[in-house]
Amino acid sequence: MKLGQATIKDIAKALNISSSTVSRALKDYPGISKETKEKVKALAKKLNYRPNAVALSLRKSKSSTIGVIIPEVVHFFFSTVISGIEEVAYANGYNVILLQTNENIAREIAAVDTIISNQVDGLLVSFSKETANFDHFKKLMDYHYPIVFFDRIPNLKDTVNVSVDDQTGAYRAVKHLIEQGYTRIVHLAGPENLKISIDRKEGYIKALKEANIPIREEWIIPCPKGTPDESETICKALLSDPSNRPDAVFASNDIAAAGAMQAAKSLGLKLPEDFGAVGFSDWQFSSMIAPPLSSVSQPGFKMGEKAAQLLLEMIDSESEEAFRSRTEMLETGLVIRESSLRKG
Amino acid sequence: MKLGQATIKDIAKALNISSSTVSRALKDYPGISKETKEKVKALAKKLNYRPNAVALSLRKSKSSTIGVIIPEVVHFFFSTVISGIEEVAYANGYNVILLQTNENIAREIAAVDTIISNQVDGLLVSFSKETANFDHFKKLMDYHYPIVFFDRIPNLKDTVNVSVDDQTGAYRAVKHLIEQGYTRIVHLAGPENLKISIDRKEGYIKALKEANIPIREEWIIPCPKGTPDESETICKALLSDPSNRPDAVFASNDIAAAGAMQAAKSLGLKLPEDFGAVGFSDWQFSSMIAPPLSSVSQPGFKMGEKAAQLLLEMIDSESEEAFRSRTEMLETGLVIRESSLRKG
């Protein structure tokens, strides 16, 4: 280790404590023992530690602004989350800036740099479908910078998260299809690197197993783009063989479910008699399509409120407790409409 | 005028030149004559002019970030504009931060303050439905701060704007309804303080006049909220009297058109035979509702690209020409679907 180039990580490693403890010890935060503070400061001095540009920038004066990094603002679910965030933020005198990544890792990294250079007090993050490496967030968290992850939860230690119970939501949706007499149910799955996709798939599998319906791997179909065209093309192929035809779809989002319904209609199938559909997210348009689409509703507004509350606690208190690693889990609902409601 | 409290406006008034000329003269920008610069600087010295906090903040180093103030990010049209903005911004090394006003003037003013304190290089603005006073933007423009207004254009001097030709779009939509044999056409109008609402109403009137159909003031109905419930309630009342029933609607947005269609369906009218509908904006869901909705399409992506290009020119060149007051007008299209297509 060269003198003058020591980082917080080097100090943490040498003393076998976490980076955030080192960071807080250097800043004399409460909740760190006097002994630890002295050890950290002594080593920092010995190693000629200098806070780097990131740390200096993050330590600038309070801007009363929080940043939200989000894949797509047009997504109805995210827009309700944003509304919940703004509600709490404005009530507490904070402004909100939004940074859209378009599911692109390069833009996400650029967004974090924008946050660093713009003196934003804290960050709410739902990362992109492409994000497999979290170093751009870790470099902030190493400096005890307040971050709350929502909806899409990283597989990292020491994060504060707000999520919905996707697995139970998916399980209930598929159970409902089975109760309506559907037995040949396909799952249009989301991007594999997202925990929400895995949870939804597991809920689907759980409901089928419980009803003793065999799981067919070829009927768990990835729709990573989540566009109506993608699922329409996939489902047209799938539904074209009458001898081996699914009778329902559970899709990981409403757009994919709508595409599946278009495919079924174009092949002359009757909805919901011949083919049933349930989506996920309960988009604004879902009640307006023909037939109106059943969907798992997510408490987006509540998620935004909860995430903002946790973030403001981290910003205001700086206490150990506010930064304690945990996941707040919110419940989903099931909105049953005509697309899955057989009358007979 | 007290000494030490003189502003750029005071200097401009005293010399009978514009505030932005004063601002640029003080900053020694090119394009201002030597004589003017000398006069401005002499008067500034005499009046003990000091740049205020806004000016100082705006003059900080370049952040390579542009801000977008927008009423609602979830609005499909605005989301396509954002995509266009981001395309140009990222290609030129700029990041984009979004500030959502929720159609609320207080939040819009707060958003401008966030821009000032966050060293953003320039601003793209579509103002809120509540905005009647533009002082919060003018205080930036007085310091020659780059702003481009898009879609919603203020009634101000010296602004750079990008808009679509709403009047021609509305005219073509109503002309199409008339060609399909509809004669009793209602207009669901947008908020009255927005120029786009006025232009769309004028296009509607123009098409009726051209076809010698009398204008009925009671059939130009404000739907300021633009929610499906609002227009459904209005249209249920309107359609309940068979002796005086409209046979079509031209709505200033697709959500209002969808609400009108729901009302007609709930009263047992056949669409499009008994009742036709055309919306405005061509939202993502419009092709998926029953029957699929005809709509005026706006070049949102193109609008975003154009607005961002103009803004980057203002940021980069600082020349007179880049700041020259003008409105770039983009063309609309008409997407004809089943909701307005009588077969007979």
Side-chain angles (χ1 to χ4, degrees):
Chain A
M1 191 187 304
K2 273 202 214 162
L3 288 182
Q5 298 193 344
T7 66
I8 283 197
K9 273 188 187 164
D10 298 327
I11 299 171
K13 210 173 159 190
L15 298 175
N16 199 23
I17 56 179
S18 76
S19 295
S20 77
T21 302
V22 172
S23 172
R24 280 170 287 162
L26 289 169
K27 287 190 252 176
D28 254 336
Y29 281 161
I32 308 277
S33 72
K34 203 183 152 195
E35 194 198 338
T36 304
K37 282 183 187 173
E38 278 169 6
K39 269 203 289 189
V40 168
K41 286 178 185 174
L43 186 59
K45 198 174 171 187
K46 188 177 155 200
L47 296 176
N48 196 18
Y49 165 77
R50 293 264 178 277
N52 70 10
V54 173
L56 283 173
S57 174
L58 293 177
R59 233 177 263 177
K60 280 183 195 166
S61 60
K62 206 160 168 298
S63 64
S64 291
T65 302
I66 61 176
V68 183
I69 293 183
I70 212 154
E72 275 190 292
V73 291
V74 71
H75 195 299
F76 182 66
F77 169 67
F78 286 129
S79 75
T80 59
V81 177
I82 292 169
S83 298
I85 291 168
E86 291 184 336
E87 207 58 34
V88 169
Y90 289 117
N92 287 279
Y94 281 81
N95 285 312
V96 176
I97 62 175
L98 308 173
L99 298 106
Q100 176 174 253
T101 63
N102 261 310
E103 305 282 8
N104 179 308
I105 178 71
R107 291 198 180 176
E108 188 171 284
I109 292 169
V112 169
D113 288 339
T114 303
I115 292 297
I116 293 173
S117 60
N118 279 281
Q119 309 173 28
V120 172
D121 296 337
L123 195 54
L124 296 165
V125 177
S126 195
F127 52 83
S128 86
K129 289 178 187 173
E130 290 182 3
T131 307
N133 178 310
F134 293 87
D135 287 350
H136 48 302
F137 297 118
K138 276 191 254 173
K139 78 177 172 189
L140 297 181
M141 289 158 66
D142 283 346
Y143 290 101
H144 205 59
Y145 181 78
I147 298 186
V148 175
F149 292 92
F150 63 91
D151 193 49
R152 301 180 180 179
I153 306 300
N155 191 10
L156 288 179
K157 276 190 299 182
D158 301 327
T159 57
V160 177
N161 311 310
V162 183
S163 184
V164 297
D165 186 352
D166 288 277
Q167 192 184 324
T168 304
Y171 163 77
R172 284 202 202 117
V174 177
K175 195 176 172 197
H176 155 70
L177 283 169
I178 295 168
E179 284 166 0
Q180 290 290 315
Y182 299 102
T183 54
R184 303 169 61 79
I185 306 166
V186 165
H187 177 48
L188 300 178
E192 282 171 21
N193 69 322
L194 298 185
K195 191 173 172 299
I196 54 172
S197 306
I198 298 163
D199 288 349
R200 290 172 196 179
K201 187 176 77 179
E202 281 176 2
Y204 160 83
I205 291 172
K206 187 181 162 196
L208 292 191
K209 276 193 179 157
E210 199 180 82
N212 291 316
I213 299 174
I215 314 299
R216 295 173 58 165
E217 280 301 327
E218 73 277 20
W219 278 4
I220 300 176
I221 304 166
C223 281
K225 279 189 263 171
T227 61
D229 290 351
E230 179 188 51
S231 78
E232 189 173 342
T233 307
I234 288 170
C235 292
K236 259 189 189 160
L238 204 62
L239 293 167
S240 60
D241 175 10
S243 68
N244 186 26
R245 186 180 269 165
D247 61 6
V249 64
F250 165 63
S252 64
N253 68 69
D254 282 4
I255 291 274
M261 282 163 65
Q262 295 282 42
K265 282 193 274 187
S266 76
L267 293 166
L269 298 181
K270 278 188 188 151
L271 278 63
E273 295 82 352
D274 302 333
F275 189 74
V278 179
F280 208 109
S281 268
D282 196 27
W283 276 46
Q284 211 177 9
F285 77 85
S286 302
S287 65
M288 292 194 265
I289 62 176
L293 176 65
S294 301
S295 190
V296 179
S297 65
Q298 294 174 288
F301 190 85
K302 214 173 179 180
M303 176 181 274
E305 283 184 319
K306 188 76 212 171
Q309 279 157 5
L310 293 177
L311 187 69
L312 295 188
E313 279 168 27
M314 292 165 88
I315 294 171
D316 291 341
S317 82
E318 300 269 13
S319 73
E320 276 301 319
E321 176 53 26
F323 283 78
R324 179 176 54 85
S325 163
R326 64 202 182 278
T327 297
E328 302 266 352
M329 192 83 98
L330 306 175
E331 290 301 310
T332 59
L334 178 61
V335 184
I336 298 172
R337 301 196 182 93
E338 286 168 43
S339 71
S340 63
L341 208 54
R342 277 173 163 168
K343 275 135 202 170
Chain B
M1 191 188 301
K2 275 201 213 161
L3 288 183
Q5 299 195 345
T7 67
I8 282 198
K9 272 188 188 166
D10 298 326
I11 300 170
K13 212 175 158 190
L15 297 176
N16 199 23
I17 57 180
S18 75
S19 296
S20 78
T21 302
V22 174
S23 171
R24 281 170 288 163
L26 289 170
K27 287 190 251 174
D28 256 336
Y29 282 163
I32 309 278
S33 72
K34 203 183 152 195
E35 194 197 338
T36 304
K37 281 182 188 171
E38 278 169 5
K39 269 203 289 190
V40 168
K41 285 178 186 174
L43 187 59
K45 199 175 171 186
K46 189 179 153 198
L47 296 177
N48 196 19
Y49 164 77
R50 294 262 178 277
N52 69 13
V54 173
L56 284 173
S57 173
L58 293 177
R59 230 176 266 176
K60 281 181 193 165
S61 60
K62 205 161 168 298
S63 65
S64 291
T65 302
I66 61 176
V68 183
I69 293 182
I70 212 154
E72 276 189 290
V73 290
V74 70
H75 194 300
F76 182 65
F77 170 66
F78 286 129
S79 75
T80 58
V81 178
I82 292 169
S83 299
I85 291 169
E86 291 184 336
E87 207 57 34
V88 170
Y90 289 117
N92 287 279
Y94 281 81
N95 285 312
V96 177
I97 61 176
L98 308 173
L99 298 104
Q100 176 174 255
T101 63
N102 262 309
E103 304 283 8
N104 178 308
I105 177 72
R107 290 197 181 176
E108 187 170 287
I109 292 170
V112 170
D113 288 340
T114 302
I115 293 297
I116 293 172
S117 60
N118 279 281
Q119 311 174 28
V120 171
D121 296 336
L123 195 54
L124 296 165
V125 177
S126 194
F127 51 84
S128 86
K129 289 179 185 172
E130 289 183 0
T131 307
N133 177 311
F134 293 87
D135 287 351
H136 48 302
F137 297 119
K138 275 191 254 172
K139 78 176 173 189
L140 298 180
M141 289 157 66
D142 283 346
Y143 291 100
H144 206 58
Y145 182 79
I147 298 187
V148 175
F149 292 93
F150 63 92
D151 192 48
R152 301 180 180 179
I153 305 300
N155 192 10
L156 289 179
K157 277 189 300 182
D158 302 327
T159 57
V160 178
N161 311 309
V162 183
S163 183
V164 298
D165 187 351
D166 288 277
Q167 192 184 323
T168 304
Y171 164 78
R172 283 201 202 119
V174 177
K175 195 176 172 198
H176 157 69
L177 283 169
I178 295 167
E179 284 166 359
Q180 290 290 316
Y182 300 101
T183 55
R184 304 168 60 79
I185 304 166
V186 165
H187 177 46
L188 300 178
E192 283 171 19
N193 68 321
L194 298 185
K195 191 174 173 299
I196 54 171
S197 306
I198 297 163
D199 288 349
R200 289 172 196 179
K201 187 176 76 178
E202 281 175 1
Y204 160 83
I205 290 171
K206 187 181 164 198
L208 292 190
K209 276 194 177 155
E210 199 180 82
N212 291 315
I213 298 174
I215 314 298
R216 296 172 59 164
E217 280 301 328
E218 74 276 19
W219 278 6
I220 300 174
I221 303 166
C223 282
K225 279 188 264 171
T227 62
D229 290 350
E230 179 187 51
S231 79
E232 188 173 344
T233 307
I234 288 169
C235 291
K236 260 191 189 160
L238 203 63
L239 293 168
S240 59
D241 175 10
S243 70
N244 186 27
R245 187 180 268 166
D247 62 5
V249 65
F250 165 62
S252 64
N253 66 70
D254 281 3
I255 291 274
M261 282 164 65
Q262 296 281 40
K265 281 192 274 184
S266 75
L267 293 165
L269 297 180
K270 279 187 188 152
L271 278 63
E273 296 82 352
D274 302 334
F275 188 75
V278 180
F280 207 111
S281 266
D282 196 27
W283 276 46
Q284 211 177 8
F285 76 85
S286 302
S287 64
M288 292 195 262
I289 62 176
L293 176 65
S294 300
S295 190
V296 178
S297 65
Q298 294 174 289
F301 189 86
K302 216 174 179 179
M303 176 180 274
E305 284 184 318
K306 188 76 213 172
Q309 278 157 4
L310 293 176
L311 187 69
L312 295 188
E313 279 169 27
M314 292 165 89
I315 293 172
D316 291 341
S317 82
E318 299 270 15
S319 74
E320 275 302 318
E321 176 54 25
F323 283 78
R324 179 177 54 85
S325 163
R326 64 201 182 278
T327 297
E328 302 266 352
M329 192 83 99
L330 306 175
E331 290 301 309
T332 59
L334 178 61
V335 184
I336 298 172
R337 301 196 182 93
E338 286 168 42
S339 71
S340 64
L341 208 54
R342 277 173 163 167
K343 274 135 203 168

